Amino acid sequence: MPWRLLISLVSGFLVAVVASGTHRMGAEENIPYGLLLSFVLVGMSAWAARSRSGVVGAAFHLIASSAMAWLMAFPGPGGDVLVPVGGKGVFLSFFGLHAGYIWLFGLIVLQLAMMVLPGRWFLVEGSEQAKGTVSSEREQHAPEPDGVHMGRVASDSAASDSVASDSAVSSSAASADAVRDGVPDHQEPSS
């Protein structure tokens, strides 16, 4: 587990360096394709961090990428800034003036949004976590025993016909739930 958090930390630093370098592409022409590309890169990296090590990994990724991007916004030893913010007359378009602000705050907002999304959106097909989730969902949707429907036991013929038809409907719904990715699960025939 600790190596997964380390991977999330390192990928957060790396994606911030790469995306901070690309976020200004097209900003001078007021077509911020670099900003869009940077957010896509950070979103994919944050998704991978969350799917790899959960919300804790996504938090490590958020901290690392935000720290690196914000450090790049401060003047370096020679006075140069890698993430310019504002400009007052240097950049004449809207995105030329505000791309730095949008990048620095959008980086945080995007990753916070990824942290509050449902965990099932971050499961990788075939992983052990995904297999455990599918089996627990199947247990929740198990068909009811024959003759019992919503706490009642069928005693006369009209009630048993109604229960039998309801049982058939719930059995067909359960068999539809049991088919995942075109591969049906084995089920015993009911009598």
Side-chain angles (χ1 to χ4, degrees):
M1 182 72 170
W3 63 271
R4 289 182 180 190
L5 296 177
L6 180 65
I7 291 172
S8 296
L9 202 65
V10 171
S11 67
F13 280 123
L14 292 176
V15 78
V17 169
V18 172
S20 291
T22 61
H23 84 279
R24 292 206 48 85
M25 292 188 320
E28 291 81 19
E29 294 86 25
N30 223 17
I31 306 172
Y33 62 89
L35 203 55
L36 180 65
L37 175 66
S38 296
F39 285 136
V40 168
L41 286 172
V42 169
M44 290 182 351
S45 183
W47 181 89
R50 171 103 191 256
S51 67
R52 181 176 36 252
S53 51
V55 175
V56 175
F60 273 71
H61 188 275
L62 169 68
I63 291 167
S65 62
S66 299
M68 182 54 89
W70 281 85
L71 282 174
M72 294 173 77
F74 289 108
D80 293 333
V81 177
L82 296 173
V83 180
V85 179
K88 291 192 179 183
V90 176
F91 307 109
L92 300 176
S93 66
F94 174 81
F95 284 107
L97 289 171
H98 299 98
Y101 288 122
I102 295 169
W103 165 241
L104 291 173
F105 291 112
L107 171 76
I108 296 169
V109 170
L110 173 68
Q111 293 182 79
L112 286 175
M114 297 283 281
M115 289 174 67
V116 298
L117 292 173
R120 67 180 176 272
W121 292 6
F122 299 95
L123 296 178
V124 178
E125 188 71 29
S127 70
E128 305 221 358
Q129 290 175 333
K131 290 176 185 173
T133 303
V134 170
S135 65
S136 67
E137 286 177 1
R138 288 184 186 153
E139 290 171 4
Q140 291 175 356
H141 298 294
E144 297 173 349
D146 290 338
V148 177
H149 181 67
M150 297 183 47
R152 293 177 289 159
V153 178
S155 60
D156 59 32
S157 63
S160 67
D161 288 343
S162 173
V163 169
S165 65
D166 289 344
S167 176
V169 169
S170 67
S171 174
S172 66
S175 66
D177 283 343
V179 175
R180 302 270 190 233
D181 299 325
V183 180
D185 286 347
H186 176 71
Q187 291 185 350
E188 295 294 326
S190 59
S191 56

